[in-house]
Amino acid sequence: MAEYEACIMGLEKAIDLRIKILDVFGDSALVINQIKGEWETRHLSLILYRYYARRLLTFFNKVEFYHIPREENQMADALATLASMYQVKFPNEAPQITIMRLDRPAHVFTVEIITDDKPWFHDIKIFLQKQEYPPGASSKDRRTLRRLSGNFFLTGNVLYKINFDMVLLTCVDRHKANLLMQEIHEGSFGTHANGHAMTRNILRAS
C-alpha cells in the first residue's frame, strides 16, 4: 500500500505539472506489474489503489512503467534518505539538491581514517543494547542512528545487518574480516568459485 501511495503521489504531481508523456520507474514489481495489468490484483485494498492509479493514467497521452530491481535503485534510495534528513521550515518548501555524478564508485575516492579501535557498527550495537547515544551526538545524529538501527538485528552479542532480501549478514570487525578474507583466498571453505564470486562472498561477509 505504501508503494502504491508513492506511485500515486508521483502521478498526481506529474498531472499538476501538466506532463503528458511520462516514464515511471519503480522497484516494486507488484505495483508496476499490477498497474500494467500483467499481474492479477486480489487484495481488496490493492484493487482500490490500482483502480485509482489507472484512472490517473487517463490524464496522460503516454505512460510507460519500468521495474527496477532494488539493488539497482541506489539513486532513489539516496534521494529518499536525503529527503528524510531535510527539515522543512514552511509549507510547500522544496529543497534544492545538487547531484554530482562520478565516473567511478564513490568508495574509490574515500580515504579511510581510523580514529579508534571500535568497529564501524559500534554505535549501532550500543544503541540496540542500551538505547544509548554516542557522547556529544546532535539531534540529527540521533535521528540518523535510530533510522540506521532499524536495519540491524541484535541477538546476544552478535549484530546482523538485515539485507534487502531479508537475509541476515553478520557484522564483523576489521580483524575478523581480514581472517575471513584470508581463509577464503586459501580455500579453507573448499570453494571452487571464480574470482568474481569469491569477491562477492567477501563483501557479504564483511
Side-chain angles (χ1 to χ4, degrees):
M1 293 169 65
E3 297 282 358
Y4 259 110
E5 291 187 6
C7 180
I8 288 172
M9 289 178 63
L11 293 174
E12 291 176 337
K13 186 62 177 179
I15 293 172
D16 292 340
L17 295 174
R18 300 187 179 183
I19 294 173
K20 292 301 181 181
I21 299 177
L22 182 68
D23 287 337
V24 179
F25 298 87
D27 60 12
S28 173
L30 182 141
V31 171
I32 296 297
N33 288 291
Q34 284 187 353
I35 293 179
K36 290 170 65 175
E38 296 180 358
W39 288 10
E40 184 178 357
T41 309
R42 297 181 179 179
H43 195 284
L44 178 60
S45 297
L46 297 187
I47 291 176
L48 298 177
Y49 274 109
R50 178 183 178 274
Y51 173 76
Y52 182 66
R54 291 192 61 84
R55 278 189 57 191
L56 295 177
L57 301 184
T58 61
F59 289 87
F60 302 92
N61 293 336
K62 181 181 179 182
V63 182
E64 296 287 346
F65 287 86
Y66 302 92
H67 174 241
I68 305 297
R70 293 184 187 274
E71 61 269 19
E72 298 177 10
N73 203 26
Q74 296 93 337
M75 178 60 72
D77 290 340
L79 291 174
T81 301
L82 288 173
S84 67
M85 298 169 61
Y86 187 83
Q87 295 183 356
V88 178
K89 299 179 181 178
F90 51 85
N92 298 325
E93 179 185 11
Q96 181 177 355
I97 301 175
T98 301
I99 300 175
M100 180 177 61
R101 182 179 180 87
L102 302 177
D103 294 331
R104 291 181 291 170
H107 64 78
V108 175
F109 300 92
T110 302
V111 177
E112 184 176 2
I113 300 176
I114 301 176
T115 57
D116 53 41
D117 58 350
K118 298 177 182 177
W120 60 269
F121 53 84
H122 174 78
D123 292 339
I124 297 174
K125 187 174 182 180
I126 293 299
F127 178 77
L128 292 176
Q129 283 180 329
K130 306 177 181 179
Q131 296 295 300
E132 294 180 357
Y133 298 100
S138 65
S139 58
K140 182 179 293 186
D141 292 335
R142 295 186 178 196
R143 286 198 304 272
T144 301
L145 183 58
R146 290 196 297 269
R147 178 176 55 81
L148 289 175
S149 63
N151 296 322
F152 290 82
F153 173 71
L154 182 66
T155 174
N157 198 41
V158 180
L159 183 67
Y160 297 92
K161 171 71 168 64
I162 305 175
N163 201 19
F164 67 90
D165 54 1
M166 302 308 293
V167 173
L168 297 181
L169 307 178
T170 307
C171 299
V172 298
D173 57 22
R174 178 180 298 276
H175 176 68
K176 181 63 175 178
N178 289 335
L179 289 178
L180 287 172
M181 288 190 290
Q182 182 178 355
E183 290 175 349
I184 292 174
H185 279 294
E186 291 177 352
S188 301
F189 296 124
T191 178
H192 297 283
N194 58 32
H196 177 69
M198 288 178 61
T199 302
R200 291 183 58 187
N201 290 336
I202 294 172
L203 292 176
R204 289 177 65 89
S206 58

